Amino acid sequence: MDNFEPLIAVFSCHYCSYAAADLAGSLRIQYPPNIRIIKVPCTGRVSVNHILMAIESGSDGVYVAGCLKGTCHFIRGNYKAEKRVQYVRDLLSEINIEPERVQMYFMSAAEGNKFAEVAREMTEAVKKMGPSPLNKSSS
Amino acid sequence: MLIAERKPMEEILEMIEDFERILVLGCKGCVTVCCAGGPREVKTLSTLIRMDRKQKGRKVITLEDSTELQCEPESIKPVLEKMANQYDVVLSMACGAGVQAVAKLFPDQLVLPSLNTNFTGIAEEHGVWTEACLACGDCILGRTAGICPVTRCAKSLLNGPCGGASEGKCEVSKDQPCAWQEIYHALKRLNMLHYLKQKPQVKDWPVHPGRVVREDLREVEAT
């Protein structure tokens, strides 16, 4: 368990957090290699089933990284994503999976630092929780 | 349309406990519109079932499909026959009528409901639905400015309000408007207040279970 390296799926908005990830790279900011970025045109495109599929396919954690509130390119996409994330968390609780494995973050395209910080925060949190219950039984 | 909600996962999982091959059967009618049992929700429920079984280290095979209208036999038949013998149980994501239609059409097949059917209603906004029709079988909306007192009055009064309303709200809940006050204002707005002076209503309440027969539509035996 000490060597546990979680796999974390990130649904990243083209207009903000994806650009922030790019900036983090340009600034040579280190962040854990545990995250796998899935670029989406807007976090409003991320559906409940997308997040569930990520978990079923073996992710130990998932987070959706959208624009700062009030700055969504499509006006309300990040607000919708936030509600869907909460819905997925409730679904996971119903089948006894820690809801904390799914999170929503907001950041701007200029926040390369924040992108790295969030990646570290989420990786640490998931490491503490251990492997997803779905991955435990298969191993 | 019919408004339904998914049952708690605990209840669904308990119902399917003994089965390994499950056909999760959605409906593309009302329950798709109210986001309770359409193809998208079928996918969500199937995923949750697989995830639950994986945690428990138990096998499960989920088949996913949706009928156009699960209350119509001709829409159910091709879907179920296409996958005959591939499942042990049908977990229906349709309304109560859909579940019963499948059970009636395939009497040897166990069908389980995964939704609770709440009411016939209208969408106030996306994600909010209110009850609108009790299917009483004798519609009086023509006299009540399109506001149904049978459904929206807590006492289903037919000839005006009771004495319990206060400041336009029903005595059963401060959140519920008095249907008859709404009817009065709507008729006033439409210049139709004289409708209230019509003879008192006597209603032909239906006997349950209801049955409607249209001879012109029934199959004819060729002789």
Side-chain angles (χ1 to χ4, degrees), chain B:
Chain B
M1 75 183 141
L2 290 174
I3 310 300
E5 281 176 303
R6 180 175 52 74
K7 284 175 176 290
M9 278 311 289
E10 200 182 344
E11 190 181 338
I12 296 175
L13 294 171
E14 199 184 312
M15 276 194 289
I16 59 167
E17 175 72 22
D18 298 332
F19 304 99
E20 262 185 16
R21 303 181 306 166
I22 298 157
L23 168 60
V24 183
L25 190 64
C27 173
K28 294 178 189 166
C30 315
V31 291
T32 295
V33 185
C34 70
C35 301
R40 215 186 281 184
E41 291 74 29
V42 165
K43 197 168 182 158
T44 306
L45 182 61
S46 305
T47 311
L48 291 173
I49 291 171
R50 287 195 301 272
M51 283 161 70
D52 175 73
R53 286 288 172 95
K54 199 171 178 196
Q55 282 188 88
K56 293 172 180 163
R58 285 189 54 198
K59 270 206 313 200
V60 70
I61 295 168
T62 52
L63 297 169
E64 300 167 21
D65 213 330
S66 295
T67 55
E68 290 301 323
L69 281 176
Q70 217 171 109
C71 47
E72 284 284 345
E74 60 257 45
S75 147
I76 306 167
K77 233 176 171 172
V79 179
L80 261 74
E81 282 174 352
K82 187 174 70 187
M83 291 184 284
N85 303 322
Q86 292 178 46
Y87 51 86
D88 305 321
V89 69
V90 177
L91 182 58
S92 169
M93 290 203 87
C95 65
V99 177
Q100 292 184 63
V102 177
K104 198 169 181 180
L105 200 60
F106 293 87
D108 300 324
Q109 177 64 59
L110 180 64
V111 190
L112 302 171
S114 60
L115 301 186
N116 289 328
T117 310
N118 296 329
F119 49 75
T120 304
I122 44 178
E124 296 295 328
E125 58 179 273
H126 197 53
V128 180
W129 297 274
T130 49
E131 188 165 17
C133 178
L134 278 181
C136 71
D138 184 14
C139 191
I140 55 163
L141 285 168
R143 297 171 57 151
T144 58
I147 297 165
C148 178
V150 179
T151 312
R152 288 164 61 177
C153 166
K155 295 171 182 164
S156 291
L157 292 180
L158 298 175
N159 298 296
C162 67
S166 157
E167 293 172 355
K169 302 292 180 191
C170 177
E171 64 183 336
V172 303
S173 162
K174 288 287 164 221
D175 299 324
Q176 190 176 319
C178 168
W180 272 104
Q181 180 148 344
E182 288 200 338
I183 291 169
Y184 173 81
H185 287 304
L187 286 173
K188 194 173 178 186
R189 193 167 57 239
L190 295 166
N191 267 334
M192 298 290 188
L193 271 181
H194 59 278
Y195 275 22
L196 291 174
K197 291 180 181 161
Q198 287 172 344
K199 269 195 300 185
Q201 298 268 322
V202 178
K203 201 162 163 55
D204 184 12
W205 292 100
V207 177
H208 290 291
R211 182 176 163 87
V212 173
V213 179
R214 279 270 306 271
E215 282 303 338
D216 59 316
L217 298 173
R218 297 183 92 177
E219 283 296 329
V220 185
E221 284 288 322
T223 49

Side-chain angles (χ1 to χ4, degrees), chain A residues 15-37:
Chain A
Y15 290 92
C16 54
S17 68
Y18 195 81
D22 204 17
L23 184 63
S26 304
L27 293 171
R28 306 285 188 268
I29 302 170
Q30 292 284 319
Y31 58 83
N34 305 66
I35 65 168
R36 303 289 184 275
I37 299 176

